[in-house]
Amino acid sequence: MIFKTACLLTGGDPSKLELFVNNRTRLTGEVTVSSSKNAILPILAASLLTDEEVQIDRVPSIKDVIIITELIHNLGSGIEKKENKIIFRAAQVGTSPDYELVRQIRASFLVAGPLLARHGAIKIALPGGCAIGTRPIDLHLKGFRALGAGIGLSGGNVIASSSGLKGNHIYLDFPSVGATENIMMAAALAKGTTYIENAALEPEVVDLANFINTMGGRISGAGRNVIRIEGVKRLHGSHYTAIADRIEAGTYMVAAAATGGDITIKNVIPEHVKAVTAKLIESGAQVAEGRDKIRVKRDGAIKPLYLKTLPYPGFPTDMQAQFMAYLSCADGSSVITESVFENRFMHVPELSRMGAKIKAESRTAIIKGVKELSGTRVKATDLRAGAALLIGALMAKGTSIISNSEHIDRGYENIVDKLNGLGADIYRQEEESRH
Ligand code: EPZ
């Protein structure tokens, strides 16, 4: 079901699809951003907190959403899809999500908090690591234990149980987005009040809190360092639309600057992309903000930058790869430090195949600007690395072929149509079977 659905998305077996990007293109025109992947995924998980109907509108058709929807359905929740709306009815749900589905995307672990809150027991696969790092869950489990759950690990599963969660003070050693969200969802139905200190400040955390409050939750302080969750006896249904995807918006913003183009990105919240705007202006691009749109253009040289990724509102780690592609043709050397993940430079060897001059050691990369990139065959290793290779290909002279393109479809809705609508010449093709 999942792959079939995913194939409907991408018109073929995603594991065998390559993207052909014909020659460099100056991107121009308008593009509309979809709802945020990283807001929608925890919101879909939070639909498990009630046995009443939850309707989410403007759900993007991306692979991660398909997988987590399948997982929630597999748990027993009723699901009805009408165009880009999804209606959930989690009247009766199990306590143990499908092992294979959980292993597919890390965000599946976000059902742990709601199931623990709802049933007081869960058995869930440890999320796999992925290309960008080991991705531990120790802070999630620290929060569950603080709420009174007994936690065990067995056979690659986390087994948790509690006779009823109780509010507590929880300090996060790192402002983890997922841990903040999972603990918030578990605490929403706990007895008493919970304080999450050193909480993640990301807009997606705020959107989740807002969503739970539309269900009758009592959460305050989201977006600040301390979030207060007053547990309630039950939560009711809701009808909600998530915020716009700030990383998709940022990706089109940097694509405009990288190709010397002129793009207006619509359905964006300028406040959420402040760090990206600031660094684009510093690099010599022009950025004009409207109420819910942003126009980006560049016609002069690309100025080199010092970039360090940080938790929100610092420069987003999810934009690091895309900026590395952009800076590969800067007028000088740039330095990028990746402080959030320990292994998020998988795009470096692939960009180097296009002619970029990048030296990466541990968490720092030095990018010596070159005059131009050359199209060639490259491989996407993860979602944002794939986006970076697309940007590199749009900057490069000659045709590029990007294999493993299904990584890109995990988080960018209709990216081929959206880029071709801006003047690109991209198409998908089945990978020739090579022996
Ligand atoms: C969320 O991942 C996003 N995913 C990621 O986006 C994003 O890069 C990340 O936040 C940081 O902003 C979703 O929201 C679905 P974290 P998450 O927990 O929650 C360490 C994309 O491209 N950590 O904030 O997994 C962890 O190892 C994806 O859209 C622990 O040590 O990120 C990492 O180094 C990629 N223990 C750092 O914190 C824990 O228990 C940040 O992780 C949890 C995390």
Side-chain angles (χ1 to χ4, degrees):
M1 161 69 176
I2 311 156
F3 265 93
K4 217 169 38 265
T5 322
C7 293
L8 290 178
L9 265 182
T10 56
D13 174 354
S15 62
K16 297 251 178 317
L17 281 182
E18 292 176 322
L19 286 181
F20 283 69
V21 184
N22 288 326
N23 215 347
R24 72 180 132 206
T25 310
R26 190 175 166 276
L27 296 175
T28 58
E30 289 189 350
V31 66
T32 300
V33 165
S34 305
S35 287
S36 163
K37 164 178 88 80
N38 292 347
I40 281 262
L41 293 175
I43 286 170
L44 297 181
S47 71
L48 292 165
L49 287 167
T50 178
D51 55 6
E52 295 185 13
E53 182 174 293
V54 168
Q55 176 168 332
I56 310 294
D57 292 348
R58 299 189 52 214
V59 178
S61 288
I62 53 176
K63 205 172 145 200
D64 277 16
V65 165
I66 289 169
I67 290 174
I68 203 157
T69 302
E70 180 77 6
L71 182 144
I72 292 170
H73 182 45
N74 182 277
L75 270 168
S77 174
I79 300 237
E80 194 186 330
K81 284 186 188 169
K82 288 185 209 156
E83 291 125 31
N84 63 2
K85 299 174 175 45
I86 301 186
I87 298 170
F88 292 92
R89 293 181 191 84
Q92 303 286 339
V93 287
T95 58
S96 178
D98 178 275
Y99 185 87
E100 286 315 316
L101 289 172
V102 173
R103 298 283 297 163
Q104 286 203 43
I105 58 165
R106 174 182 170 77
S108 306
F109 197 71
L110 289 170
V111 302
L115 291 179
L116 200 51
R118 180 97 185 259
H119 290 309
I122 51 166
K123 179 182 172 192
I124 180 169
L126 278 165
C130 67
I132 63 176
T134 51
R135 314 289 293 277
I137 53 164
D138 55 311
L139 297 175
H140 299 240
L141 302 184
K142 173 180 180 179
F144 294 159
R145 282 195 185 92
L147 294 174
I151 306 273
L153 298 180
S154 140
N157 289 301
V158 173
I159 298 168
S161 62
S162 94
S163 53
L165 299 177
K166 290 185 184 57
N168 203 343
H169 276 252
I170 298 160
Y171 173 79
L172 290 182
D173 309 51
F174 180 88
S176 154
V177 172
T180 302
E181 292 168 342
N182 238 336
I183 296 164
M184 187 197 285
M185 291 188 280
L189 290 174
K191 204 167 159 40
T193 301
T194 297
Y195 294 86
I196 304 175
E197 298 177 37
N198 195 29
L201 310 179
E202 273 70 2
E204 294 78 24
V205 171
V206 178
D207 209 25
L208 175 64
N210 292 340
F211 171 65
I212 295 172
N213 285 342
T214 65
M215 299 166 82
R218 291 207 195 116
I219 301 175
S220 54
R224 294 200 297 274
N225 294 87
V226 181
I227 300 178
R228 180 181 186 277
I229 304 111
E230 191 185 325
V232 294
K233 277 203 177 356
R234 64 186 310 279
L235 291 166
H236 53 69
S238 175
H239 182 176
Y240 199 77
T241 301
I243 54 172
D245 193 316
R246 63 189 170 97
I247 304 300
E248 184 190 10
T251 303
Y252 286 106
M253 289 168 70
V254 73
T259 58
D262 180 353
I263 298 182
T264 296
I265 296 104
K266 299 169 78 176
N267 185 38
V268 63
I269 303 169
E271 180 59 32
H272 291 172
V273 291
K274 275 273 180 250
V276 171
T277 297
K279 297 313 273 189
L280 282 177
I281 292 170
E282 200 181 314
S283 73
Q286 293 93 48
V287 182
E289 291 180 355
R291 192 178 53 77
D292 59 356
K293 60 185 175 184
I294 284 188
R295 181 176 177 186
V296 179
K297 54 193 267 196
R298 177 187 63 84
D299 38 33
I302 301 171
K303 295 175 189 153
L305 295 176
Y306 282 81
L307 261 190
K308 178 172 185 179
T309 68
L310 288 166
Y312 192 88
F315 186 86
T317 173
D318 294 347
M319 283 300 304
Q320 178 258 108
Q322 299 92 312
F323 261 73
M324 191 180 285
Y326 171 46
L327 295 170
S328 64
C329 290
D331 201 5
S333 292
S334 303
V335 180
I336 294 183
T337 303
E338 171 54 63
S339 78
V340 177
F341 288 104
E342 76 268 19
N343 180 31
R344 202 168 195 174
F345 285 150
M346 308 287 278
H347 40 284
V348 168
E350 299 304 311
L351 287 171
S352 305
R353 287 173 53 79
M354 290 181 158
K357 294 257 178 293
I358 307 169
K359 196 167 169 11
E361 256 176 51
S362 179
R363 291 187 180 226
T364 300
I366 298 168
I367 304 98
K368 188 173 179 310
V370 295
K371 194 170 166 324
E372 70 178 2
L373 298 179
S374 314
T376 185
R377 182 177 277 281
V378 288
K379 181 178 284 193
T381 51
D382 60 86
L383 166 58
R384 306 303 176 185
L389 295 178
L390 252 178
I391 290 170
L394 289 164
M395 295 163 69
K397 189 158 171 276
T399 297
S400 294
I401 302 171
I402 303 173
S403 59
N404 287 13
S405 66
E406 74 278 10
H407 283 294
I408 304 171
D409 296 319
R410 288 189 46 195
Y412 290 95
E413 185 177 47
N414 300 333
I415 191 163
V416 172
D417 295 345
K418 288 186 179 182
L419 285 173
N420 286 343
L422 295 168
D425 175 11
I426 304 173
Y427 63 93
R428 289 182 192 279
Q429 185 168 305
E430 293 273 322
E431 196 172 321
E432 300 95 58
S433 54
R434 268 194 303 285
H435 303 296

